[in-house]
Amino acid sequence: MEYILIIISAIFVNNVVLSQFLGICPFLGVSNKVETSLGMGGAVVFVITIANIVTYLLQYYILDPLGLGYMQTVSFILVIAALVQMVEIILKKVSPSLYQALGIFLPLITTNCAVLGLAILAIQNEYNLAESVVFGFAKAVGFALALVIFAGIREQLELSNTPKVMKGFPIALVTAGILAMAFIGFTGIV
């Protein structure tokens, strides 16, 4: 039951983008097309899930026993950078079109504050390894869900008669705000 609460809370109630405001750069930058958003969402789910496993093991089996807790941020950043490089290499071989579509945003996963923030939050919440993996996966799914929904709305906005002054980024910010308010409606479920 505890895992179900973690999943529902992570995806809907405390959505990483819409309530904690982590990962805004790729949220606004890659959300022009649903196809690209799905690819970015998948890459982020993979990276965050693996990062939570590796950073948990790093924290509790290397940093804490050696008294190097102060190296947490630096070591987590290095782990995340290595994981993103691995994803980039895999995507280049498996799906060159998706690799091209993601462009500059794929290396930006390295500096995506959501990846680092969620790894640190899992440690701060004192989750065990299984809870940490579920937490990271669910938060990443919440990120991907928000990204895909937002991309679908933005595709529809491109086809609508939007006032000239609101075209592009202004209407995207207003839409993101309304989407965040919609997700606030899930507060109280958990």
Side-chain angles (χ1 to χ4, degrees):
M1 186 65 173
E2 185 175 333
Y3 294 110
I4 294 171
L5 291 176
I6 290 173
I7 292 169
I8 292 171
S9 174
I11 293 174
F12 298 109
V13 179
N14 295 315
N15 187 283
V16 68
V17 175
L18 301 173
S19 70
Q20 294 178 319
F21 304 113
L22 294 173
I24 295 294
C25 179
F27 179 71
L28 293 172
V30 184
S31 60
N32 291 330
K33 296 184 179 182
V34 172
E35 183 180 340
T36 308
S37 297
L38 283 169
M40 181 64 150
V44 168
V45 167
F46 178 76
V47 169
I48 287 177
T49 304
I50 300 300
N52 271 22
I53 294 169
V54 175
T55 55
Y56 177 90
L57 296 173
L58 179 67
Q59 181 72 37
Y60 289 109
Y61 292 105
I62 296 174
L63 297 179
D64 285 350
L66 296 176
L68 299 173
Y70 61 90
M71 294 292 292
Q72 180 187 57
T73 303
V74 173
S75 58
F76 283 14
I77 288 172
L78 291 173
V79 165
I80 291 165
L83 288 172
V84 170
Q85 286 296 325
M86 184 177 72
V87 169
E88 193 170 0
I89 290 167
I90 291 170
L91 270 182
K92 196 172 188 177
K93 296 229 184 243
V94 173
S95 178
S97 61
L98 180 58
Y99 176 78
Q100 289 295 329
L102 291 174
I104 188 66
F105 294 103
L106 188 58
L108 286 179
I109 294 175
T110 305
T111 58
N112 184 348
C113 57
V115 180
L116 178 61
L118 294 177
I120 291 173
L121 278 173
I123 301 297
Q124 287 177 346
N125 290 339
E126 297 180 359
Y127 289 141
N128 61 35
L129 181 58
E131 291 170 338
S132 180
V133 171
V134 168
F135 173 78
F137 177 78
K139 284 285 195 177
V141 167
F143 175 86
L145 176 69
L147 188 65
V148 170
I149 290 171
F150 189 56
I153 294 170
R154 285 185 75 180
E155 280 185 358
Q156 288 298 314
L157 284 172
E158 289 296 319
L159 301 173
S160 67
N161 189 13
T162 308
K164 191 174 187 176
V165 127
M166 292 297 289
K167 282 208 179 277
F169 202 64
I171 194 69
L173 289 176
V174 170
T175 305
I178 293 170
L179 189 58
M181 289 191 313
F183 270 71
I184 286 173
F186 292 112
T187 304
I189 290 177
V190 179

